[in-house]
Amino acid sequence: MPEPGPSAGAPPLLAVQGLSKRYSLPREHLLSRPPSVLALQDVSFTLHAGKSLGVVGESGSGKSTLARLVMALEMPTAGSVLLQGADLHRLDAAALRSARTAVQMVFQDPYGSLDPRRTVLQTVAEPLAVLLGAGAEEQRTRAQQALEAVGLRRTDLAKYPHEFSGGQRQRIAIARALITRPKLIVADEPVSALDVSVQAQVLNLMQDLQDQMGLTFLFISHDLAVVDLVCDDVIVLHQGRVVEQGATDAVFNQPQHPYTQRLLAAVPGAPQGDPAS
């Protein structure tokens, strides 16, 4: 099974190697051995700078588990996540804090991910204060720049999340992700909570930011049409395993695995290539 193709000779920005995650479940009886579930099993892929990799699959396929492991929010049971060659799960606290400036996350629910009691300035600038110890003047300056980059105004810094629409709140969340000038953004279902008319605007913004800033995206989604639009490469997860991966056009137009074929068949208007015989 070929992996997404890298640029010739270029080392990957992100390399995931043999990644597995097992969760323990509550004991059925006091003296019984706790059961467990394998949420992710032996997942490997590479992602090169300036590219977008989509991760697709049904609910429960392991997509969000993968996102949390790439962000080093959880420890894997096995395997490694290498960001620019450094294994995130083997770094000490100080080194991990420094590494987090290079990888940021955009969450699914733009309202749930923003504290309603904090202004836009406090929300957007928080990573600068926590990760880099930036002073108030630098926080304001870079927050203004980040807000303008996502199409909002610097006067919006004094407002609160409830004063914005859903699409605007997601732009604020993207501005927060941009504030540390990261190399990689993990986007976990970033448009699924938005109206269809607004989804295209946010996706176009993310593509424009990628072109302007050379950003790299790991794009988690159950929406194959969205992945087809914005991602260079794709991996298909099924029950925690990668069942197919490659260039998005190739995978979606000539799906090799029956599971990928079923996913595509269930989406009206999705690419419907001839399955491999």
Side-chain angles (χ1 to χ4, degrees):
M1 183 189 302
E3 292 194 12
S7 303
L13 174 67
L14 178 70
V16 170
Q17 301 173 346
L19 202 61
S20 298
K21 178 63 178 179
R22 183 179 293 276
Y23 292 101
S24 295
L25 302 176
R27 298 174 186 267
E28 296 181 2
H29 305 286
L30 180 61
L31 300 180
S32 66
R33 187 173 183 176
S36 64
V37 60
L38 192 58
L40 213 61
Q41 186 169 359
D42 196 25
V43 170
S44 298
F45 62 86
T46 57
L47 177 55
H48 288 256
K51 297 295 185 179
S52 293
L53 173 64
V55 181
V56 301
E58 298 170 303
S59 296
S61 61
K63 303 189 303 297
S64 292
T65 298
L66 176 60
R68 290 192 296 271
L69 292 174
V70 169
M71 290 296 300
L73 299 176
E74 295 184 359
M75 288 293 295
T77 304
S80 59
V81 176
L82 305 180
L83 182 67
Q84 297 179 301
D87 188 341
L88 294 181
H89 296 98
R90 293 182 178 273
L91 299 178
D92 60 30
L96 180 58
R97 187 180 304 109
S98 177
R100 288 194 190 282
T101 63
V103 53
Q104 290 289 303
M105 192 165 187
V106 176
F107 296 92
Q108 175 178 355
D109 182 1
Y111 193 73
S113 65
L114 304 177
D115 189 335
R117 298 165 297 182
R118 296 169 68 86
T119 66
V120 171
L121 172 59
Q122 291 172 316
T123 294
V124 172
E126 183 179 23
L128 280 182
V130 173
L131 299 176
L132 296 175
E137 183 176 349
E138 182 180 0
Q139 289 181 41
R140 175 171 287 276
T141 298
R142 286 175 59 170
Q144 289 174 350
Q145 294 170 349
L147 220 59
E148 290 173 346
V150 300
L152 297 176
R153 298 171 298 181
R154 61 177 59 194
T155 53
D156 291 328
L157 287 173
K159 297 180 181 179
Y160 290 85
H162 74 270
E163 299 180 66
F164 297 91
S165 67
Q168 290 172 323
R169 287 195 289 263
Q170 195 61 300
R171 288 172 185 263
I172 293 168
I174 294 170
R176 178 175 59 187
L178 294 176
I179 195 72
T180 62
R181 298 169 183 163
K183 298 179 182 297
L184 171 65
I185 291 181
V186 178
D188 189 1
E189 302 277 8
V191 297
S192 64
L194 304 178
D195 292 340
V196 174
S197 60
V198 180
Q199 288 184 8
Q201 297 174 22
V202 173
L203 292 172
N204 288 336
L205 170 64
M206 295 175 76
Q207 289 180 300
D208 289 344
L209 291 171
Q210 183 175 36
D211 293 339
Q212 296 164 11
M213 301 180 179
L215 295 172
T216 306
F217 284 102
L218 181 63
F219 205 98
I220 312 291
S221 182
H222 69 278
D223 191 328
L224 276 65
V226 167
V227 170
D228 187 41
L229 177 67
V230 302
C231 294
D232 303 292
D233 301 296
V234 62
I235 65 174
V236 181
L237 281 180
H238 179 50
Q239 296 181 346
R241 287 179 173 271
V242 176
V243 296
E244 193 158 358
Q245 58 185 322
T248 305
D249 286 346
V251 170
F252 283 1
N253 286 301
Q254 284 195 312
Q256 305 290 307
H257 195 278
Y259 177 71
T260 311
Q261 295 165 15
R262 293 198 300 272
L263 283 181
L264 288 164
V267 181
Q272 298 291 331
D274 294 329
S277 57

